[in-house]
Amino acid sequence: MILQKLSILNYKNIAEAQLELSPKMNCFIGPNGAGKTNVLDVVYYLSFCRSASNPIDSQVIRHEEPFCLIEGLYREDERLKMKDERLTISCGIKRGVKKSFKRDKKPYKRLSEHIGLIPLVVVSPSDTLLIEGGSEERRRLMDMVIAQYDRPYIDHLVRYNNALLQRNTLLKMEDAEPDPALLQIWEEQMADEGEQLYQRRKAFVEELTPVFQDYYRRIAQDREQVGLNYVSHCQRGPLLEVIQRDRMKDRAVGYSLHGVHRDDLEFTLGGHLMKREGSQGQNKTYVVALKLAQFDFLKRTASQTTPLLLLDDIFDKLDASRVEQIVRIVSGDSFGQIFITDTNRDHLDQILQTAALDYKIFHVDHGNINIKD
């Protein structure tokens, strides 16, 4: 998918912008806090119906303004060799009112219908949470990728989370013991939906791992060995049995200790946990390789189109040799439209000098966006 035009009104610190974009490389330069990441966040929002950094929609509206409006004009990826089809995605957000998300001016009945239409991968400084943060960050990573190519996945996830909520509500009862029959109903639903989620996550990790390892090897130039290890309670036996095995312990603590809501991805470097072993440069290399592997995966699965690639402040904490390898990879023919931010024009010049790319450079300052030569 190619984003041709981007319209922004009152989004975070951007008062108004009308951008004509390059089909290949779009570079946004400017000082920290200028609004570069906010441009990328608009592109993200049009793919996922939400901000990458703030789950509260009203908080993306520019201060003192009553509403915001974002719109993107897309065309089909040329590699599909189809007729030149275009679509418009727009979202209006007004304080105190449910947001309006539309495709070609027609509102969606459910926002989940939109997920996967415009596949997207973003690399950002917050990705360090994948290594340093809790297991929920790594589960979210799996969920966001799988949901873009497997539409039933979201439904399984919603039903599982609802069953988990209902079971936890029963476990927290203080005035009486929970009805065993009700517990059984929600436990069975957790098990049924959880097994579906587990099988999809397992297949995803198995296919992703060798691609990820290859990207890491190329960026690090064979200096380190990395791995991914999927850990789930489903690996202990039938999930229903695992959930029910410690029902009394769950009752004592007031929530469910077992299930796929506790799944995790172990990140390893040289056979040891990345969290304990990795330097800042190795951590950054790890998450960049992981996101490039996701890109490769989605390109082959999601809507049969090339995902958009968002690279936010990607060069920080990386040495020159690793920057050079990343530049070589993303400027190749395997990647489609790219959005990249940096405070240093030299990094962007390095990209543009190493490959014959169509590109545009935008300067961002205090929310104002101007095209540069």
Side-chain angles (χ1 to χ4, degrees):
M1 196 70 75
I2 301 297
L3 177 55
Q4 290 186 303
K5 297 180 181 180
L6 185 63
S7 300
I8 308 171
L9 181 64
N10 297 331
Y11 193 92
K12 296 188 176 179
N13 76 329
I14 303 173
E16 186 174 4
Q18 301 285 333
L19 306 181
E20 299 268 354
L21 300 166
S22 163
K24 183 58 181 178
M25 182 79 72
N26 296 278
C27 309
F28 298 87
I29 61 172
N32 290 325
K36 304 183 302 296
T37 298
N38 293 341
V39 179
L40 269 57
D41 198 49
V42 171
V43 179
Y44 183 96
Y45 203 116
L46 292 172
S47 281
F48 291 106
C49 310
R50 63 180 295 274
S51 166
S53 59
N54 194 331
I56 303 174
D57 288 318
S58 62
Q59 293 183 5
V60 305
I61 302 174
R62 190 165 179 258
H63 293 313
E64 312 304 329
E65 298 294 340
F67 70 95
C68 75
L69 179 64
I70 56 176
E71 182 175 278
L73 174 63
Y74 299 81
R75 67 171 171 79
E76 291 284 359
D77 193 338
E78 290 179 348
R79 76 185 183 94
L80 297 179
K81 297 180 180 179
M82 298 171 62
K83 63 182 180 180
D84 188 19
E85 294 187 358
R86 287 174 165 78
L87 72 152
T88 300
I89 303 298
S90 63
C91 182
I93 306 170
K94 189 174 182 180
R95 299 187 191 278
V97 180
K98 184 179 179 181
K99 65 185 172 187
S100 174
F101 208 93
K102 298 179 181 179
R103 174 180 177 178
D104 291 331
K105 298 183 179 180
K106 296 181 180 179
Y108 280 99
K109 293 182 179 178
R110 295 194 308 165
L111 294 182
S112 61
E113 297 172 359
H114 178 70
I115 305 302
L117 178 66
I118 307 168
L120 178 149
V121 173
V122 58
V123 183
S124 73
S126 64
D127 288 335
T128 56
L129 286 174
L130 291 170
I131 295 173
E132 300 166 358
S135 60
E136 66 274 7
E137 299 291 339
R138 294 177 286 277
R139 285 193 300 276
R140 187 178 300 115
L141 170 78
M142 292 190 286
D143 293 342
M144 291 298 290
V145 180
I146 299 172
Q148 291 185 73
Y149 67 87
D150 185 344
R151 290 194 177 277
Y153 185 86
I154 295 179
D155 294 330
H156 289 301
L157 188 61
V158 169
R159 288 193 291 266
Y160 178 88
N161 286 335
N162 178 63
L164 173 64
L165 176 63
Q166 298 297 333
R167 184 177 191 263
N168 285 348
T169 299
L170 292 174
L171 292 172
K172 293 175 184 176
M173 290 178 59
E174 297 181 358
D175 53 347
E177 283 299 309
D179 185 341
L182 281 178
L183 276 174
Q184 179 76 20
I185 290 172
W186 297 122
E187 289 166 350
E188 288 177 354
Q189 184 168 340
M190 281 180 63
D192 290 343
E193 303 298 341
E195 293 281 3
Q196 292 288 337
L197 296 172
Y198 168 71
Q199 292 299 331
R200 287 163 163 80
R201 290 173 178 174
K202 179 173 179 288
F204 164 68
V205 174
E206 288 176 351
E207 189 170 348
L208 183 77
T209 299
V211 182
F212 154 69
Q213 290 172 324
D214 182 61
Y215 274 121
Y216 192 99
R217 177 190 60 78
R218 292 163 63 185
I219 297 171
Q221 297 177 286
D222 290 311
R223 290 197 290 263
E224 298 128 17
Q225 298 294 320
V226 292
L228 290 172
N229 182 32
Y230 177 38
V231 180
S232 175
H233 289 150
C234 286
Q235 295 157 346
R236 301 181 181 181
L239 187 55
L240 181 59
E241 294 181 11
V242 174
I243 292 171
Q244 294 180 333
R245 193 175 299 157
D246 287 321
R247 185 189 278 181
M248 294 304 295
K249 187 182 295 185
D250 291 355
R251 173 68 172 137
V253 298
Y255 56 87
S256 302
L257 292 168
H258 296 88
V260 297
H261 60 288
R262 305 297 289 266
D263 283 3
D264 201 356
L265 266 181
E266 290 182 347
F267 294 170
T268 62
L269 174 68
H272 303 284
L273 287 179
M274 192 77 190
K275 182 184 295 188
R276 300 172 186 168
E277 298 291 322
S279 66
Q280 287 185 323
Q282 289 170 326
N283 288 351
K284 188 67 173 277
T285 304
Y286 198 102
V287 296
V288 170
L290 191 61
K291 292 301 185 75
L292 295 182
Q294 292 175 37
F295 181 96
D296 184 274
F297 189 92
L298 288 173
K299 184 178 178 180
R300 291 181 282 110
T301 56
S303 301
Q304 296 298 301
T305 188
T306 303
L308 304 179
L309 180 63
L310 278 52
L311 305 175
D312 189 15
D313 196 21
I314 191 175
F315 302 116
D316 184 43
K317 310 242 177 2
L318 291 175
D319 60 43
S321 66
R322 298 192 184 215
V323 169
E324 181 181 355
Q325 295 306 315
I326 293 171
V327 167
R328 288 181 178 178
I329 291 171
V330 301
S331 61
D333 293 336
S334 298
F335 291 82
Q337 190 177 31
I338 300 170
F339 297 78
I340 187 166
T341 71
D342 201 86
T343 57
N344 191 334
R345 173 73 183 258
D346 293 340
H347 287 146
L348 301 181
D349 285 340
Q350 181 183 1
I351 291 177
L352 303 174
Q353 290 169 6
T354 56
L357 296 174
D358 182 276
Y359 69 89
K360 287 188 177 181
I361 297 178
F362 301 88
H363 185 265
V364 186
D365 190 22
H366 292 94
N368 298 310
I369 307 170
N370 297 296
I371 193 164
K372 304 292 285 187
D373 295 329

Short mmCIF file of all heavy atoms in Angstrom, two decimals, residues 168-197:
data_model
loop_
_atom_site.label_atom_id
_atom_site.label_comp_id
_atom_site.label_asym_id
_atom_site.label_seq_id
_atom_site.Cartn_x
_atom_site.Cartn_y
_atom_site.Cartn_z
N ASN A 168 -12.41 -13.80 36.64
CA ASN A 168 -11.76 -13.02 37.70
C ASN A 168 -12.78 -12.33 38.60
O ASN A 168 -12.56 -12.20 39.81
CB ASN A 168 -10.83 -11.99 37.08
CG ASN A 168 -9.54 -12.60 36.55
OD1 ASN A 168 -9.24 -13.76 36.83
ND2 ASN A 168 -8.79 -11.84 35.78
N THR A 169 -13.89 -11.90 38.01
CA THR A 169 -14.95 -11.27 38.81
C THR A 169 -15.51 -12.25 39.83
O THR A 169 -15.74 -11.91 41.00
CB THR A 169 -16.08 -10.76 37.90
OG1 THR A 169 -15.55 -9.78 37.00
CG2 THR A 169 -17.20 -10.14 38.71
N LEU A 170 -15.70 -13.49 39.39
CA LEU A 170 -16.19 -14.53 40.31
C LEU A 170 -15.15 -14.84 41.38
O LEU A 170 -15.48 -15.03 42.56
CB LEU A 170 -16.53 -15.80 39.53
CG LEU A 170 -17.74 -15.72 38.59
CD1 LEU A 170 -17.87 -17.00 37.78
CD2 LEU A 170 -19.03 -15.48 39.39
N LEU A 171 -13.87 -14.88 40.99
CA LEU A 171 -12.82 -15.20 41.95
C LEU A 171 -12.68 -14.15 43.04
O LEU A 171 -12.25 -14.44 44.16
CB LEU A 171 -11.48 -15.36 41.22
CG LEU A 171 -11.35 -16.56 40.27
CD1 LEU A 171 -10.05 -16.47 39.49
CD2 LEU A 171 -11.42 -17.88 41.04
N LYS A 172 -13.06 -12.91 42.72
CA LYS A 172 -12.91 -11.80 43.67
C LYS A 172 -14.09 -11.68 44.64
O LYS A 172 -14.06 -10.83 45.53
CB LYS A 172 -12.76 -10.48 42.91
CG LYS A 172 -11.46 -10.37 42.14
CD LYS A 172 -11.43 -9.09 41.31
CE LYS A 172 -10.18 -9.02 40.46
NZ LYS A 172 -10.18 -7.81 39.58
N MET A 173 -15.14 -12.51 44.47
CA MET A 173 -16.32 -12.41 45.33
C MET A 173 -15.93 -12.57 46.81
O MET A 173 -15.19 -13.47 47.17
CB MET A 173 -17.34 -13.48 44.95
CG MET A 173 -18.00 -13.25 43.60
SD MET A 173 -19.16 -14.59 43.16
CE MET A 173 -20.30 -14.52 44.53
N GLU A 174 -16.45 -11.67 47.62
CA GLU A 174 -16.11 -11.69 49.04
C GLU A 174 -17.25 -12.18 49.93
O GLU A 174 -17.02 -12.73 51.01
CB GLU A 174 -15.68 -10.29 49.50
CG GLU A 174 -14.42 -9.79 48.81
CD GLU A 174 -14.02 -8.41 49.29
OE1 GLU A 174 -14.76 -7.84 50.13
OE2 GLU A 174 -12.98 -7.89 48.84
N ASP A 175 -18.48 -11.98 49.50
CA ASP A 175 -19.62 -12.29 50.36
C ASP A 175 -20.09 -13.72 50.24
O ASP A 175 -20.90 -14.18 51.05
CB ASP A 175 -20.78 -11.34 50.07
CG ASP A 175 -21.17 -11.33 48.59
OD1 ASP A 175 -20.37 -11.86 47.78
OD2 ASP A 175 -22.24 -10.80 48.25
N ALA A 176 -19.62 -14.44 49.20
CA ALA A 176 -20.05 -15.84 49.01
C ALA A 176 -19.06 -16.55 48.10
O ALA A 176 -18.28 -15.92 47.39
CB ALA A 176 -21.46 -15.89 48.42
N GLU A 177 -19.13 -17.87 48.11
CA GLU A 177 -18.28 -18.65 47.21
C GLU A 177 -18.86 -18.58 45.79
O GLU A 177 -20.08 -18.63 45.62
CB GLU A 177 -18.21 -20.10 47.66
CG GLU A 177 -17.28 -20.31 48.85
CD GLU A 177 -15.85 -19.91 48.54
OE1 GLU A 177 -15.31 -20.36 47.50
OE2 GLU A 177 -15.28 -19.12 49.33
N PRO A 178 -18.02 -18.47 44.77
CA PRO A 178 -18.52 -18.42 43.40
C PRO A 178 -19.19 -19.73 42.99
O PRO A 178 -18.81 -20.80 43.47
CB PRO A 178 -17.27 -18.16 42.57
CG PRO A 178 -16.13 -18.62 43.43
CD PRO A 178 -16.56 -18.36 44.84
N ASP A 179 -20.18 -19.62 42.12
CA ASP A 179 -20.90 -20.80 41.62
C ASP A 179 -19.95 -21.64 40.76
O ASP A 179 -19.45 -21.16 39.74
CB ASP A 179 -22.09 -20.32 40.79
CG ASP A 179 -22.97 -21.46 40.32
OD1 ASP A 179 -22.49 -22.62 40.32
OD2 ASP A 179 -24.12 -21.20 39.92
N PRO A 180 -19.69 -22.90 41.15
CA PRO A 180 -18.77 -23.75 40.38
C PRO A 180 -19.22 -23.93 38.93
O PRO A 180 -18.37 -24.04 38.03
CB PRO A 180 -18.80 -25.08 41.13
CG PRO A 180 -19.23 -24.73 42.53
CD PRO A 180 -20.18 -23.58 42.36
N ALA A 181 -20.53 -23.95 38.69
CA ALA A 181 -21.02 -24.14 37.33
C ALA A 181 -20.68 -22.92 36.46
O ALA A 181 -20.31 -23.07 35.29
CB ALA A 181 -22.54 -24.36 37.35
N LEU A 182 -20.79 -21.72 37.04
CA LEU A 182 -20.42 -20.51 36.29
C LEU A 182 -18.92 -20.47 36.02
O LEU A 182 -18.48 -20.11 34.93
CB LEU A 182 -20.85 -19.26 37.06
CG LEU A 182 -22.32 -18.86 36.98
CD1 LEU A 182 -22.58 -17.63 37.84
CD2 LEU A 182 -22.71 -18.57 35.53
N LEU A 183 -18.14 -20.84 37.03
CA LEU A 183 -16.70 -20.91 36.84
C LEU A 183 -16.35 -21.86 35.70
O LEU A 183 -15.49 -21.57 34.86
CB LEU A 183 -16.00 -21.36 38.13
CG LEU A 183 -15.71 -20.29 39.18
CD1 LEU A 183 -15.16 -20.94 40.44
CD2 LEU A 183 -14.71 -19.26 38.64
N GLN A 184 -17.03 -23.00 35.67
CA GLN A 184 -16.78 -24.01 34.64
C GLN A 184 -17.06 -23.43 33.25
O GLN A 184 -16.29 -23.65 32.31
CB GLN A 184 -17.66 -25.24 34.89
CG GLN A 184 -17.51 -26.36 33.86
CD GLN A 184 -16.23 -27.16 34.04
OE1 GLN A 184 -15.64 -27.13 35.13
NE2 GLN A 184 -15.80 -27.83 33.00
N ILE A 185 -18.14 -22.68 33.11
CA ILE A 185 -18.50 -22.10 31.82
C ILE A 185 -17.39 -21.17 31.32
O ILE A 185 -16.94 -21.27 30.17
CB ILE A 185 -19.83 -21.34 31.92
CG1 ILE A 185 -20.99 -22.32 32.11
CG2 ILE A 185 -20.07 -20.48 30.67
CD1 ILE A 185 -22.32 -21.65 32.41
N TRP A 186 -16.95 -20.27 32.19
CA TRP A 186 -15.93 -19.31 31.76
C TRP A 186 -14.57 -19.96 31.58
O TRP A 186 -13.80 -19.56 30.68
CB TRP A 186 -15.85 -18.16 32.78
CG TRP A 186 -17.12 -17.37 32.86
CD1 TRP A 186 -17.90 -17.16 33.95
CD2 TRP A 186 -17.78 -16.70 31.77
NE1 TRP A 186 -18.99 -16.41 33.63
CE2 TRP A 186 -18.95 -16.10 32.30
CE3 TRP A 186 -17.51 -16.54 30.41
CZ2 TRP A 186 -19.83 -15.36 31.51
CZ3 TRP A 186 -18.38 -15.81 29.64
CH2 TRP A 186 -19.53 -15.22 30.18
N GLU A 187 -14.28 -20.98 32.37
CA GLU A 187 -13.02 -21.69 32.20
C GLU A 187 -12.99 -22.45 30.87
O GLU A 187 -11.96 -22.49 30.19
CB GLU A 187 -12.80 -22.66 33.37
CG GLU A 187 -12.47 -21.94 34.67
CD GLU A 187 -12.59 -22.82 35.88
OE1 GLU A 187 -13.12 -23.96 35.76
OE2 GLU A 187 -12.18 -22.39 36.98
N GLU A 188 -14.11 -23.02 30.50
CA GLU A 188 -14.17 -23.73 29.22
C GLU A 188 -13.99 -22.76 28.04
O GLU A 188 -13.32 -23.07 27.06
CB GLU A 188 -15.49 -24.48 29.09
CG GLU A 188 -15.57 -25.70 30.01
CD GLU A 188 -16.92 -26.40 29.92
OE1 GLU A 188 -17.83 -25.86 29.23
OE2 GLU A 188 -17.08 -27.47 30.54
N GLN A 189 -14.60 -21.57 28.17
CA GLN A 189 -14.43 -20.59 27.10
C GLN A 189 -12.99 -20.09 27.05
O GLN A 189 -12.41 -19.91 25.97
CB GLN A 189 -15.38 -19.41 27.26
CG GLN A 189 -15.29 -18.43 26.10
CD GLN A 189 -16.41 -17.40 26.09
OE1 GLN A 189 -17.45 -17.60 26.71
NE2 GLN A 189 -16.19 -16.30 25.40
N MET A 190 -12.39 -19.85 28.21
CA MET A 190 -10.98 -19.46 28.24
C MET A 190 -10.12 -20.51 27.57
O MET A 190 -9.21 -20.18 26.78
CB MET A 190 -10.51 -19.27 29.68
CG MET A 190 -10.89 -17.95 30.33
SD MET A 190 -10.27 -17.86 32.05
CE MET A 190 -8.49 -17.93 31.79
N ALA A 191 -10.39 -21.77 27.85
CA ALA A 191 -9.59 -22.85 27.28
C ALA A 191 -9.78 -22.95 25.77
O ALA A 191 -8.81 -23.08 25.01
CB ALA A 191 -9.94 -24.17 27.95
N ASP A 192 -11.03 -22.89 25.32
CA ASP A 192 -11.30 -23.01 23.88
C ASP A 192 -10.65 -21.87 23.09
O ASP A 192 -9.96 -22.10 22.09
CB ASP A 192 -12.82 -23.01 23.62
CG ASP A 192 -13.50 -24.28 24.12
OD1 ASP A 192 -12.78 -25.27 24.36
OD2 ASP A 192 -14.73 -24.26 24.28
N GLU A 193 -10.88 -20.65 23.56
CA GLU A 193 -10.32 -19.50 22.84
C GLU A 193 -8.80 -19.43 23.03
O GLU A 193 -8.07 -19.07 22.11
CB GLU A 193 -10.96 -18.20 23.34
CG GLU A 193 -12.47 -18.15 23.23
CD GLU A 193 -12.97 -18.26 21.78
OE1 GLU A 193 -12.17 -18.02 20.86
OE2 GLU A 193 -14.16 -18.58 21.59
N GLY A 194 -8.34 -19.80 24.22
CA GLY A 194 -6.91 -19.76 24.50
C GLY A 194 -6.11 -20.72 23.63
O GLY A 194 -5.01 -20.39 23.17
N GLU A 195 -6.66 -21.90 23.40
CA GLU A 195 -5.98 -22.86 22.52
C GLU A 195 -5.86 -22.31 21.11
O GLU A 195 -4.85 -22.51 20.42
CB GLU A 195 -6.73 -24.20 22.52
CG GLU A 195 -6.70 -24.95 23.84
CD GLU A 195 -5.39 -25.70 24.07
OE1 GLU A 195 -4.48 -25.58 23.22
OE2 GLU A 195 -5.28 -26.39 25.10
N GLN A 196 -6.89 -21.60 20.64
CA GLN A 196 -6.85 -20.99 19.31
C GLN A 196 -5.75 -19.93 19.25
O GLN A 196 -4.98 -19.85 18.27
CB GLN A 196 -8.20 -20.36 18.98
CG GLN A 196 -9.34 -21.35 18.76
CD GLN A 196 -9.19 -22.11 17.45
OE1 GLN A 196 -8.53 -21.66 16.52
NE2 GLN A 196 -9.83 -23.26 17.38
N LEU A 197 -5.68 -19.10 20.28
CA LEU A 197 -4.65 -18.07 20.32
C LEU A 197 -3.26 -18.69 20.38
O LEU A 197 -2.33 -18.23 19.70
CB LEU A 197 -4.87 -17.16 21.53
CG LEU A 197 -6.17 -16.33 21.52
CD1 LEU A 197 -6.34 -15.63 22.86
CD2 LEU A 197 -6.18 -15.31 20.40
#
